[in-house]
Amino acid sequence: MTLGSDDALVSGEATAAPRAGENRRHIRTATPSRLVRLSSGPLGLVALKGANSALTAVTNFVLAYVLVRSIGLESYAVIASLLAVAALVVQSDLGITGLTFFKLRSHYLAGSAASAASPDDQDLVVTIVTLYIAVGLAAVLVLGLALAAGVVQVGIYALPYLLVFAGAVCALPRMVLRVVINARDGFVWTEVVDLVRRSALLAATLAMLPGLSFTSYSAISLVIWMGAIGALLWLARIHGFALRPGALRNGVRLLRAEIRGVGATVLLSLVDFFIGVFPYYLLAASRDAAAVVTFDMFYKVTRFAVMSYLIGAESVLPQQTRAMHDADAAGLIGATAKGIMIGLLPMSAGIIAIAVFGEQIFGVILNHAGIISPVMRIAICAMFVFLLVQTTCQIVLIGIGKFEALARRSCLTFAVMVVISTLMVLFDWTTDRFIVAYVIVYGAGSLLYARALYVVVRALREANELDKRAERP
């Protein structure tokens, strides 16, 4: 990770007049503080998150619409399967980004807001980003060798498939760069980068309609992803993170120390990942392309719901983490309620759209009628409700470091998921029946997350009551 240093900004200027040098130093120190002040506006953050959520949904479904018509349903199912593999690569993060945000945010709120991050924090970030870039490159190399050797048979689209996969694994270093910047109140700036990236990807997707080839689109999308990572590296630098001599050596030492204590984080990350995507692998094993495409639509629509709920959940996260730091139970409750209220808007709109117009929407996207059944559409609507509960609770619980409580609940949910998967295989369940069971189990798990947040709030209230009693004469 090449973040650069302040010295690089003034190389070749050592002979300038002292007053000019002072002015330049003033500009360098003032710029980050101005950026931080600008990035603290809650309305701007909500607006940007809303725009990003809308762009994500439009891009995903426009891409499905275009690809189904340009390369066919079978090839689109291959892309969906490759992206599931890319998600597995991204999951090699093992929850480290969540822990990194918690630690960096805690250090920032504890009093380092006016200065750069500590040297140890900077070295840890440099090391994690470097490792994630290496993991992504290794995954692309492995897939490339498998395609070249004919181990993975994908026909004429081998190169664009590889480029699409490479773009997808770019999400791995992007994850940690986002949380690093957000930990120091850079929420708005990471959303701006995402807005530009998503707008560019949508433009490239639409360009396939008048004739842009699938290969060209794949190459352009990879360039867009790499540009976004470059922008995040620059933002990390101006938010107090720089590459220092010996950073990797010290960062590896720090990372080893962290990993010894992140069992719950790793477990939570892995279990949440498999809960979300294991149906891809289960249905792909049946060699039923229609079943894979059906779940792909279910997954894309529900992930869009999550993106919509993150508008509220992440917009109030700065307030929630500050309230937790100040042991302010009322502040934590109030901020969480705001996040839920914001999330109710996309939830209601999504339920109406799927319940009333779902048949037409999916028919147009997939160019085939009847693939998404009425039962599946009802399951999607129920999932919207459960995801609002879980997303709202999970974001704040991760932000305040409650990894063990979340891991226990996720493991219980996944254990039941294994049971319903076994029943599907033994009794030859239809895709619809399996998805209905999946949604019911997921809904029960979301209530466990709500219970965990309630326990945190109750503990804060009890602590506040004890403080009040201690202050009485």
Side-chain angles (χ1 to χ4, degrees), residues 76-124:
Y76 178 72
V78 173
I79 291 179
S81 299
L82 281 176
L83 292 179
V85 175
L88 185 60
V89 175
V90 173
Q91 194 58 29
S92 64
D93 167 69
L94 297 177
I96 298 299
T97 54
L99 182 65
T100 301
F101 174 82
F102 168 63
K103 287 189 171 294
L104 296 181
R105 184 68 174 168
S106 298
H107 298 166
Y108 177 73
L109 294 176
S112 61
S115 62
S118 70
D120 280 353
D121 284 349
Q122 294 184 50
D123 293 349
L124 181 63

Side-chain angles (χ1 to χ4, degrees), residues 186-409:
F187 295 90
V188 162
W189 297 105
T190 56
E191 292 298 324
V192 169
V193 172
D194 279 352
L195 183 65
V196 174
R197 175 179 60 83
R198 289 181 172 124
S199 299
L201 286 173
L202 178 58
T205 303
L206 292 172
M208 283 193 286
L209 292 175
L212 181 70
S213 70
F214 180 37
T215 301
S216 298
Y217 162 79
S218 304
I220 292 171
S221 65
L222 178 57
V223 171
I224 291 170
W225 268 104
M226 293 175 67
I229 290 176
L232 291 173
L233 288 169
W234 177 76
L235 281 171
R237 179 188 174 281
I238 66 173
H239 278 82
F241 295 90
L243 179 62
R244 306 181 318 115
L248 287 177
R249 183 174 62 256
N250 186 42
V252 168
R253 178 184 62 80
L254 294 168
L255 188 58
R256 282 204 307 265
E258 293 293 345
I259 288 176
R260 285 196 291 267
V262 297
T265 307
V266 171
L267 184 60
L268 171 63
S269 179
L270 286 174
V271 172
D272 275 356
F273 167 76
F274 283 114
I275 287 174
V277 303
F278 84 88
Y280 272 116
Y281 310 119
L282 185 66
L283 297 173
S286 69
R287 299 185 180 277
D288 184 350
V292 174
V293 172
T294 296
F295 182 76
D296 184 62
M297 287 295 103
F298 174 88
Y299 183 82
K300 279 185 167 58
V301 172
T302 54
R303 289 313 98 183
F304 167 59
V306 172
M307 290 292 297
S308 301
Y309 301 153
L310 287 176
I311 298 171
E314 290 189 347
S315 295
V316 300
L317 184 59
Q319 302 168 44
Q320 290 170 322
T321 51
R322 289 185 183 276
M324 191 67 187
H325 182 265
D326 297 335
D328 180 7
L332 179 59
I333 294 171
T336 304
K338 291 177 186 176
I340 293 175
M341 294 301 295
I342 295 173
L344 286 174
L345 297 176
M347 186 196 78
S348 302
I351 289 175
I352 293 172
I354 297 300
V356 179
F357 307 107
E359 183 176 359
Q360 296 89 335
I361 292 172
F362 290 119
V364 170
I365 292 172
L366 298 175
N367 201 29
H368 289 77
I371 292 182
I372 310 300
S373 68
V375 172
M376 183 68 71
R377 296 197 294 272
I378 293 172
I380 290 172
C381 292
M383 195 70 169
F384 285 164
V385 178
F386 299 141
L387 282 169
L388 176 59
V389 175
Q390 178 160 322
T391 302
T392 302
C393 297
Q394 186 178 44
I395 292 299
V396 60
L397 289 169
I398 289 176
I400 61 178
K402 301 298 180 180
F403 300 105
E404 292 184 1
L406 292 177
R408 288 193 297 270
R409 286 155 177 80

Side-chain angles (χ1 to χ4, degrees), residues 159-185:
L159 178 59
Y161 285 159
L162 181 63
L163 295 175
V164 168
F165 181 83
V169 299
C170 284
L172 185 56
R174 167 191 169 271
M175 286 167 52
V176 68
L177 287 169
R178 270 181 57 89
V179 301
V180 162
I181 298 163
N182 288 346
R184 298 183 67 82
D185 279 336

